Amino acid sequence: MSINKPNLYFDATASHPIPSDIWQTYCANLQKYYANPAAVYESGILAQKLITESLRDIASTFNVAPGQLLITSGATESINTVFYNFAKRRRKQQDILLIAQGEHAATVAAAKRLADDLQLELIYVPLTSSYLLDTDCLENLLQQYGERILALSNVSLSNETGTINDLMLISRLLKKYAPKALWHVDNVQGWGKIAWDFVQTAVDYVSMGGHKIGAPKGCGLLYIKEPKYFKPFIVGGGQQNNMRSGTENPPLVRAMADAALKNGNISRLNAKREYIQKLRDLLLQNISTLSYSIQGAAALRQYPGIVAISFPNIRGEVLLHSLEREGISVSTASSCHNLAAGKVAAQKAACFTEAVAQGHLRITINEEHQVDDILILAKAINKCVSFLAEINRK
């Protein structure tokens, strides 16, 4: 890349940069806490103490007990662990599995495998035209199937569009129509962006990934409402109270705790969202002469930092690489076609059209961005879109 070009990163939805203070503490801890936390000598005991303190700090940000949190290698392991527990906790009459449209590939794959293994009927709950889980359709399904439903899985916040599901409403519907159904919320994108109460919603499992909030890759969490019913997905040496075997990495867990503390304060979340909203508005204002469409919901149900945008007759991947040549990193949503894949009964879910899917570009704005960064991004979008549109006209 030319030194005259910027190096601007607008893809924190995929992986958040590690803040310098977290990185420095992590590197220092790698040298200090090298002992196996299962060892009974002093350095091992200190390593285990670091894990215990870290889990206590993370738990405080969710207002849950440390014993309800399981350290995993990341969100994919957390999700697979959840579906393993769905199988272990299944009641005889339960033969329906519900997942929302547009879920992450890990959820879709785990759900399909579970449905195949247990001969369950897998039903996709469609999205509304605003890309939110269709709670009217969910209510109809819950009324129809009731106690036959084993579990429901849905995201808190969409990594594709930034839309925020109404978790309290979903909770009420489950309590009313299918109180024995288990409920998993994929909070991978929600962590550090929105605040919601695990206890108040009575959710059974919540999966999260550390690298989405500024921790190094390779760490994740699983919230478990009732650990007494939990069955370990990974067995072996009996670490984490026999809930997940495998030697823990104390410095990595501490880094995730530091990131959680930095992102868990509600007042800070609100201030961050307000700041990001201003940057989003500035971006859209400065590309207003272009023709584009935004996929998302109304402000109350839309996280401003995820801008799902498409420009007519311009492929998202082509625009991505054009912006890359300008020194700007954005993304296309790799699973956008999954949003149009499933059906409930004979109804096709309200989701991306093929034209939108082809042109979809995802821009992530976070608190580290400045006004000048947004102006540079807008200038590059104007330049690249105008150029590609002219090419298409010829």
Side-chain angles (χ1 to χ4, degrees):
M1 184 179 296
S2 168
I3 60 173
N4 295 320
K5 294 180 180 179
N7 184 15
L8 294 177
Y9 182 71
F10 289 95
D11 196 23
T13 303
S15 190
H16 197 290
I18 303 174
S20 59
D21 56 340
I22 293 178
W23 173 252
Q24 289 168 9
T25 301
Y26 173 62
C27 290
N29 284 338
L30 284 172
Q31 291 184 306
K32 184 177 180 180
Y33 296 98
Y34 50 82
N36 191 316
V40 295
Y41 41 77
E42 184 179 12
S43 57
I45 293 171
L46 289 174
Q48 182 58 55
K49 183 180 178 183
L50 185 67
I51 293 175
T52 301
E53 292 173 347
S54 300
L55 278 175
R56 186 175 64 233
D57 286 344
I58 297 172
S60 70
T61 68
F62 299 125
N63 196 28
V64 300
Q68 293 176 291
L69 297 179
L70 185 69
I71 304 163
T72 68
S73 63
T76 295
E77 182 193 327
S78 296
I79 290 167
N80 277 268
T81 301
V82 167
F83 279 83
Y84 177 79
N85 274 267
F86 284 167
K88 292 297 182 180
R89 295 184 63 181
R90 180 193 179 192
R91 298 169 184 266
K92 286 185 178 180
Q93 74 274 23
Q94 293 173 318
D95 58 0
I96 302 291
L97 180 61
L98 303 178
I99 68 170
Q101 282 290 102
E103 293 297 294
H104 189 274
T107 296
V108 175
K112 287 181 176 178
R113 181 170 65 182
L114 180 62
D116 288 343
D117 289 349
L118 298 186
Q119 299 299 299
L120 303 174
E121 182 180 356
L122 176 59
I123 298 178
Y124 293 85
V125 185
L127 307 181
T128 68
S129 59
S130 297
Y131 304 96
L132 297 164
L133 184 144
D134 189 329
T135 51
D136 288 337
C137 182
L138 175 64
E139 183 171 16
N140 290 335
L141 289 169
L142 295 176
Q143 284 182 298
Q144 180 180 354
Y145 294 112
E147 292 193 358
R148 290 178 58 192
I149 297 172
L150 169 60
L152 166 69
S153 181
N154 63 270
V155 295
S156 60
L157 187 152
S158 171
N159 71 317
E160 299 282 3
T161 62
T163 48
I164 304 167
N165 280 317
D166 189 340
L167 299 178
M168 281 306 303
L169 175 56
I170 295 170
S171 174
R172 290 194 296 270
L173 292 175
L174 284 167
K175 288 177 185 176
K176 182 176 181 180
Y177 298 110
K180 294 180 181 179
L182 298 168
W183 184 27
H184 164 243
V185 172
D186 176 347
N187 195 44
V188 173
Q189 289 302 331
W191 196 12
K193 296 183 179 72
I194 58 173
W196 58 285
D197 194 314
F198 295 0
V199 177
Q200 189 177 10
T201 55
V203 63
D204 293 289
Y205 304 99
V206 181
S207 54
M208 292 166 278
H211 74 105
K212 303 295 187 178
I213 62 167
K217 297 174 184 65
C219 57
L221 282 177
L222 177 60
Y223 165 76
I224 304 160
K225 178 185 174 183
E226 297 180 295
K228 65 181 178 180
Y229 297 122
F230 180 81
K231 301 297 182 182
F233 181 56
I234 297 178
V235 296
Q239 288 86 350
Q240 298 195 63
N241 296 317
N242 287 310
M243 293 173 69
R244 181 193 183 272
S245 294
T247 303
E248 306 98 321
N249 183 338
L252 191 58
V253 179
R254 183 65 251 174
M256 184 163 58
D258 290 341
L261 289 172
K262 179 172 285 194
N263 288 277
N265 183 280
I266 293 179
S267 61
R268 187 179 184 279
L269 283 178
N270 291 336
K272 180 169 72 171
R273 183 167 176 168
E274 183 179 343
Y275 174 70
I276 290 173
Q277 182 67 60
K278 292 178 180 178
L279 295 184
R280 178 191 178 103
D281 293 343
L282 180 65
L283 171 64
L284 298 182
Q285 176 187 338
N286 279 271
I287 61 171
S288 60
T289 59
L290 300 175
S291 177
Y292 63 82
S293 62
I294 296 283
Q295 286 71 57
L300 180 65
R301 291 286 160 202
Q302 179 66 44
Y303 184 71
I306 297 179
V307 184
I309 191 168
S310 60
F311 300 88
N313 303 316
I314 295 177
R315 291 180 64 89
E317 186 176 354
V318 174
L319 181 54
L320 179 152
H321 291 300
S322 296
L323 290 170
E324 183 182 18
R325 286 191 287 272
E326 297 295 320
I328 292 171
S329 298
V330 296
S331 69
T332 56
S334 60
S335 60
C336 59
H337 289 289
N338 291 339
L339 290 172
K343 294 183 179 180
V344 176
Q347 293 182 329
K348 186 174 180 180
C351 44
F352 287 171
T353 64
E354 183 63 23
V356 169
Q358 290 291 330
H360 184 72
L361 199 73
R362 186 184 66 188
I363 300 168
T364 305
I365 302 171
N366 58 41
E367 67 273 25
E368 286 84 12
H369 290 130
Q370 304 295 320
V371 167
D372 285 348
D373 300 329
I374 301 301
L375 294 177
I376 292 170
L377 171 62
K379 182 178 180 181
I381 290 175
N382 278 298
K383 175 183 176 181
C384 294
V385 170
S386 297
F387 174 78
L388 293 172
E390 182 62 28
I391 293 293
N392 287 338
R393 283 193 291 267
K394 292 181 178 179

